[in-house]
Amino acid sequence: MKTNLLIAICALPFPAALLHADGAFYGDPPDAVHPWAIHDMNRPQPPRVEPATFSSQEKPGTPPSDAVILFDGTDATLGNWISDKNGEPTKWVVKDATLQCVPGSGYVRTKDEWADCQLHIEWSAPSEVHGDSQGRGNSGVFLMGQVEVQVLDNHGNPTYSDGFAGSVYGVNPPMANALRKPGEWQFYDIIFRRPIYKDGQLVDAGYLTVFCNGVLLQDHTPLQGGGGHKARTKDRPFPDKGPLKLQDHGNPVRYRNIWYRPLPKRAIDGGDTSVMSAEQTAAKRAEIAASIRDKAAKMEGKEKLLHLLESLVYAKDAGATNEATAMADAFVADVKATPADKIESRKGDVTQLNNALQYLEKWKIADFAATGEVLQIVKAREWDKKK
Ligand code: MG
């Protein structure tokens, strides 16, 4: 058994990736609220999303690869949309590849429902100007059907500021008026986060971030219950998901190029982000450690040993510690038995194990008898000095 292990240790090539592709252990380790080390290769890679390319046919606002398309002008039957009044087909019309409000027909809403999202939507107020203040080119983008990002022709048209285009209606005015002229297309890019309640207590107020034509209007604005007409609202739970609604405010506002990307859950809502509770962190660390030990179980020799050591960075485990102890001791014995004319060939393996053991000792994660012995070997041969 021991002999087989030693053969396996000696025969293995450079190990698979640990914290880093070169096998090095470095970066501040996981702690009580961060399940990953700094610069941790076990942290999932961001998913690849293909951004739109801008050829002569494509413009800014072209959806990326993972967008859910709600309206692109090609579906004259408006298969994704229904009347908000009665769930029947909407009376809004598709004209010149745009979705146009028919005054008096009521709001339109998506069949699809979701919550946190990045939303892109383009709108255009009638080029023929009628009315003023809230009566000119009024519509609205209702996230989850609950909170309105105002759509209004405010080009040379003053109104109350918390009802301005790009306001969170009744909650917060936009930071700027970046509108183009009526009849021209306005681009909204919106990041929406719903309020989160746990056991009846507010733990995250929910937020809106809004860009209009590339200009920031709302910067992580708390929803304060979602706002509304005349009434000041207070924080309140939202449903788990809801449709996107577009408002009929009596003006034939047009829309085009509507798409969204659902966003991953926040840590407070059970997702993986940079800030977690101690409980969530402990659970995630245990999950990472178990995953590394599963990989280690299919390995042999030095590769296995380094993975067992790596798993201990995330969570203590008596079985992994015992196995690593035995393997490290066997490794030291094997190196010591290596003939003098062959010892240089062990430099890579020994320094790698030394790095791992030193990391675990530095961060008081684990202390192996082999740690000091491996360091001694490295120092005696000056393998820790650059030549
Ligand atoms: Mg409105």
Side-chain angles (χ1 to χ4, degrees):
M1 171 70 186
K2 194 172 176 184
T3 313
N4 288 344
L5 176 70
L6 293 180
I7 290 167
I9 287 174
C10 300
L12 265 171
F14 212 64
L18 288 168
L19 289 175
H20 288 268
D22 61 0
F25 279 57
Y26 66 78
D28 287 0
D31 62 22
V33 290
H34 299 93
W36 292 282
I38 296 288
H39 313 318
D40 192 335
M41 290 300 291
N42 286 307
R43 195 166 193 172
Q45 296 285 291
R48 174 66 191 163
V49 174
E50 293 301 328
T53 53
F54 300 133
S55 68
S56 55
Q57 285 81 37
E58 293 167 325
K59 299 182 174 70
T62 301
S65 59
D66 63 345
V68 179
I69 311 294
L70 296 170
F71 180 77
D72 64 2
T74 60
D75 181 11
T77 63
L78 287 173
N80 295 324
W81 301 82
I82 47 177
S83 164
D84 188 46
K85 265 185 191 168
N86 51 21
E88 302 276 318
T90 175
K91 293 195 167 64
W92 288 41
V93 293
V94 179
K95 209 169 169 183
D96 302 327
T98 69
L99 173 59
Q100 189 169 317
C101 174
V102 175
S105 65
Y107 290 30
V108 67
R109 71 171 145 93
T110 56
K111 290 179 182 170
D112 224 7
E113 297 193 354
W114 64 93
D116 294 0
C117 69
Q118 173 189 347
L119 175 74
H120 178 88
I121 187 163
E122 301 174 17
W123 60 271
S124 171
S127 51
E128 207 172 298
V129 171
H130 291 291
D132 58 12
S133 187
Q134 295 285 307
R136 183 187 296 182
N138 193 333
S139 181
V141 176
F142 281 72
L143 283 305
M144 291 184 70
Q146 302 282 327
V147 54
E148 179 182 15
V149 176
Q150 176 67 300
V151 166
L152 190 69
D153 172 14
N154 279 122
H155 200 268
N157 176 33
T159 189
Y160 46 86
S161 62
D162 65 355
F164 220 86
S167 63
V168 180
Y169 187 82
V171 174
N172 196 48
M175 288 188 279
N177 176 357
L179 292 173
R180 301 183 176 119
K181 291 177 186 165
E184 294 185 16
W185 287 96
Q186 323 286 346
F187 290 18
Y188 276 1
D189 288 285
I190 297 171
I191 299 160
F192 170 73
R193 293 293 195 177
R194 76 183 174 103
I196 304 291
Y197 279 71
K198 288 269 160 70
D199 302 323
Q201 296 294 310
L202 178 75
V203 292
D204 190 323
Y207 298 93
L208 268 167
T209 298
V210 179
F211 290 85
C212 173
N213 299 326
V215 177
L216 183 63
L217 306 190
Q218 303 287 343
D219 178 15
H220 207 56
T221 300
L223 300 182
Q224 296 180 27
H229 188 47
K230 293 186 177 175
R232 191 182 303 286
T233 54
K234 291 183 180 156
D235 286 318
R236 65 181 168 93
F238 279 25
D240 288 343
K241 56 186 182 173
L244 178 71
K245 295 185 183 181
L246 303 178
Q247 186 185 41
D248 168 16
H249 200 281
N251 301 130
V253 173
R254 295 178 300 156
Y255 289 92
R256 72 177 187 189
N257 194 20
I258 310 170
W259 52 263
Y260 76 96
R261 302 175 58 246
L263 296 177
K265 285 186 168 191
R266 286 155 281 174
I268 202 80
D269 200 16
D272 293 349
T273 62
S274 58
V275 183
M276 289 190 185
S277 70
E279 198 180 33
Q280 287 171 320
T281 302
K284 176 57 75 176
R285 287 178 62 164
E287 180 189 318
I288 298 167
S291 157
I292 297 169
R293 284 197 294 272
D294 281 351
K295 276 191 251 172
K298 298 183 189 79
M299 295 172 174
E300 291 183 313
K302 182 189 66 178
E303 194 178 6
K304 179 174 192 170
L305 173 55
L306 289 172
H307 277 76
L308 289 172
L309 296 177
E310 184 190 9
S311 77
L312 297 174
V313 174
Y314 299 89
K316 285 186 194 304
D317 181 85
T321 303
N322 290 343
E323 197 171 0
T325 301
M327 292 185 77
D329 290 347
F331 182 90
V332 169
D334 184 59
V335 171
K336 283 182 174 170
T338 303
D341 61 333
K342 298 271 191 323
I343 193 71
E344 270 309 303
S345 70
R346 308 300 307 273
K347 179 180 174 182
D349 290 350
V350 175
T351 54
Q352 220 167 26
L353 184 61
N354 183 54
N355 287 339
L357 292 170
Q358 289 302 312
Y359 184 93
L360 267 62
E361 185 180 80
K362 175 185 172 185
W363 293 106
K364 300 183 170 46
I365 292 163
D367 190 12
F368 294 93
T371 303
E373 293 192 86
V374 172
L375 183 62
Q376 253 180 14
I377 295 167
V378 167
K379 288 206 172 296
R381 307 213 62 86
E382 297 192 338
W383 283 340
D384 54 340
K385 297 205 168 78
K386 283 190 178 154
K387 288 182 181 160

